[in-house]
Amino acid sequence: MANAGLQLLGFILAFLGWIGSIVSTALPQWKVYSYASDNIVTAQAIYEGLWMSCVSQSTGQIQCKVFDSLLNLNSTLQATRALMVIGILLGLIAIFVATVGMKCMKCMEDDEAQKMRMAVFGGVIFLISGLAILVATAWYGNRIVQEFYDPMTPVNARYEFGQALFIGWAAASLCLLGGALLCCSCPRKATSYPTPRPYPKPAPSSGKDYV
């Protein structure tokens, strides 16, 4: 029962991480405008995501512009898009695979070892998904840091980490943790002991005493 509870906990954590990766990919707040200059303008907030850039006015009005040209985007944004989509697709596959291997499911009850291997395989896919999301968010965050501290970048064109980036890091952590817990349900090999060697029976005594 303890192993089943650990398996269920890992699946829930990984599933929450997968949901978080979808939310992070859809949100436009991957980087937000930094008010580090002397001329602070708080009447509007500028932020940018993987698919669009938006401007939020103090009146509550939000204007967004979708990135039209794929080839016109920088390589970091294209790679981040691809890794996030790959991570989401792998997470979807891992959900189906791990569900089959869960002990609380009725699938493959006749083969317990194969059922546990399916859960482990789902955990491995979750690990790969979490790594893809982690690489994407870390790569994008590193690009923000480089541009922020680049002396050639104008002060009014510097950005900082947005909320979606933190959600992506949390999602990657949950996927990695959940996948690791699922991998802990790996079936243990039964220990085989050698067959005991029969000892020869002692010969019956002849009944004679020797002095």
Side-chain angles (χ1 to χ4, degrees):
M1 292 300 294
N3 193 13
L6 190 67
Q7 192 181 71
L8 182 60
L9 177 62
F11 180 82
I12 293 175
L13 292 177
F15 182 77
L16 292 176
W18 179 72
I19 295 295
S21 65
I22 297 177
V23 174
S24 175
T25 305
L27 287 177
Q29 290 93 354
W30 276 67
K31 62 179 182 179
V32 297
Y33 179 75
S34 175
Y35 297 100
S37 60
D38 295 332
N39 298 325
I40 301 178
V41 180
T42 58
Q44 62 182 10
I46 305 173
Y47 44 89
E48 185 177 313
L50 300 181
W51 315 99
M52 64 184 72
S53 59
C54 298
V55 177
S56 176
Q57 305 292 338
S58 59
T59 58
Q61 183 181 5
I62 300 176
Q63 296 178 347
C64 295
K65 182 181 183 302
V66 180
F67 299 140
D68 299 326
S69 176
L70 177 63
L71 301 178
N72 195 29
L73 301 176
N74 58 69
S75 58
T76 302
L77 185 57
Q78 293 181 11
T80 304
R81 274 185 177 183
L83 287 172
M84 292 300 293
V85 172
I86 290 173
I88 292 173
L89 292 179
L90 287 176
L92 181 62
I93 297 173
I95 289 174
F96 288 109
V97 175
T99 301
V100 175
M102 297 291 291
K103 289 187 175 182
C104 56
M105 301 298 291
K106 298 294 183 181
C107 304
M108 302 175 64
E109 285 186 329
D110 53 342
D111 193 347
E112 187 67 22
Q114 186 65 24
K115 185 180 180 67
M116 295 180 71
R117 290 191 187 98
M118 291 294 290
V120 174
F121 186 52
V124 172
I125 301 177
F126 268 126
L127 288 175
I128 300 175
S129 172
L131 285 176
I133 298 170
L134 182 62
V135 170
T137 51
W139 193 352
Y140 194 93
N142 181 60
R143 180 64 180 268
I144 295 175
V145 173
Q146 288 182 349
E147 291 179 350
F148 186 88
Y149 289 107
D150 188 1
M152 301 300 295
T153 303
V155 178
N156 58 355
R158 295 180 180 178
Y159 289 83
E160 296 181 357
F161 298 151
Q163 296 89 340
L165 201 56
F166 292 104
I167 295 176
W169 283 328
S173 302
L174 289 176
C175 286
L176 291 174
L177 180 59
L181 291 178
L182 284 173
C183 290
C184 291
S185 61
C186 181
R188 298 179 180 178
K189 294 182 179 180
T191 305
S192 58
Y193 296 96
T195 306
R197 186 177 180 182
Y199 292 96
K201 295 181 179 180
S205 177
S206 58
K208 294 181 179 182
D209 296 327
Y210 295 93
V211 179

